[in-house]
Amino acid sequence: SAVISQKPSRDICQRGTSLTIQCQVDSQVTMMFWYRQQPGQSLTLIATANQGSEATYESGFVIDKFPISRPNLTFSTLTVSNMSPEDSSIYLCSVGGATDTQYFGPGTRLTVL
Amino acid sequence: AQTVTQSQPEMSVQEAETVTLSCTYDTSENNYYLFWYKQPPSRQMILVIRQEAYKQQNATENRFSVNFQKAAKSFSLKISDSQLGDTAMYFCAFMKPYSSNTGKLIFGQGTTLQVKP
């Protein structure tokens, strides 16, 4: 499976600011996804990051709040905009390729004060 | 819409013993995948095992095996010879094939497993 890294691994941010999370894969992948895991909860898909086009967002998530970029087949970013304490979560990217299986990055733990 | 249910919030097992984690799901699809992921305190999501719905044979990976009952929409995970390193949150997940123009993993609520020495 691909080696996936995320930056930063954790951050503490102030209310009203924005944070950009990077996801880097060591090989080209077809599918990239962003998930959110709120404290003590399961994972929820935010969006599918599409290479060369706008991301596909799930119900309840909007581009203005969670803009996503995917400039190539190995890299994507997720920005959490105008943060509030409710955005405190673990954010995970995942990748999928020829097989219908997803592998996850190590996650970014975000705390908003 | 698909749903995944894990009815056991917490479980514990003695080291070297066997434990079974339950998962049920609801779907009208015929072709899909089921997964078990493990999330230790490090928060890394680790794939444990994968099952294709079209395969009748239950998947196995070393000490991990599943009991896949398609008609009953049940997908349990058996961990044999439990080890301290198996202590983690376990998530059951459902996914339609990428060819269906979605790669969305739908997760259950999770089961916290504690392996005791």
Side-chain angles (χ1 to χ4, degrees):
Chain A
S1 62
V3 176
I4 308 163
S5 60
Q6 281 186 237
K7 290 181 181 179
S9 60
R10 60 177 61 221
D11 208 341
I12 301 173
C13 300
Q14 295 298 316
R15 179 195 299 262
T17 62
S18 298
L19 176 72
T20 296
I21 302 168
Q22 299 179 2
C23 179
Q24 178 76 54
V25 192
D26 70 343
S27 59
Q28 293 185 342
V29 292
T30 308
M31 314 288 284
M32 292 185 80
F33 308 90
W34 287 98
Y35 289 82
R36 181 176 74 181
Q37 185 178 25
Q38 294 177 300
Q41 303 294 314
S42 186
L43 283 77
T44 301
L45 181 65
I46 297 172
T48 302
N50 300 309
Q51 194 267 327
S53 64
E54 196 169 283
T56 304
Y57 289 84
E58 295 296 307
S59 176
F61 297 96
V62 296
I63 188 171
D64 289 346
K65 177 67 177 177
F66 298 101
I68 288 171
S69 77
R70 189 175 175 195
N72 55 53
L73 293 176
T74 64
F75 185 78
S76 178
T77 66
L78 167 74
T79 298
V80 185
S81 303
N82 188 25
M83 288 184 285
S84 68
E86 292 71 33
D87 293 320
S88 297
S89 297
I90 297 171
Y91 293 86
L92 301 103
C93 71
S94 73
V95 304
T99 60
D100 289 302
T101 302
Q102 288 184 35
Y103 298 94
F104 285 82
T108 296
R109 184 183 295 273
L110 171 62
T111 302
V112 184
L113 302 177
Chain B
Q2 290 78 24
T3 60
V4 178
T5 302
Q6 293 177 248
S7 58
Q8 305 154 313
E10 297 181 355
M11 293 191 72
S12 65
V13 63
Q14 291 296 132
E15 194 175 8
E17 294 188 346
T18 296
V19 64
T20 298
L21 308 183
S22 301
C23 173
T24 58
Y25 61 95
D26 188 25
T27 184
S28 59
E29 303 287 333
N30 188 51
N31 188 22
Y32 52 87
Y33 297 86
L34 295 165
F35 305 88
W36 279 97
Y37 285 89
K38 164 185 173 181
Q39 188 178 42
S42 67
R43 78 176 175 266
Q44 172 83 54
M45 288 289 285
I46 301 166
L47 177 66
V48 175
I49 202 163
R50 169 180 181 262
Q51 174 79 44
E52 298 93 332
Y54 62 85
K55 287 188 176 179
Q56 291 187 332
Q57 185 174 6
N58 290 322
T60 62
E61 286 289 343
N62 302 314
R63 298 182 295 108
F64 299 89
S65 62
V66 298
N67 182 4
F68 173 49
Q69 302 290 329
K70 190 172 184 179
K73 297 180 182 175
S74 171
F75 184 61
S76 61
L77 175 69
K78 185 172 82 170
I79 306 174
S80 304
D81 185 25
S82 297
Q83 301 176 359
L84 296 178
D86 295 333
T87 293
M89 177 81 87
Y90 286 81
F91 291 97
C92 177
F94 170 99
M95 193 183 82
K96 292 194 288 185
Y98 292 149
S99 57
S100 65
N101 288 326
T102 178
K104 180 178 181 177
L105 275 168
I106 299 170
F107 287 90
Q109 306 91 321
T111 297
T112 300
L113 176 66
Q114 178 78 42
V115 180
K116 298 179 178 180

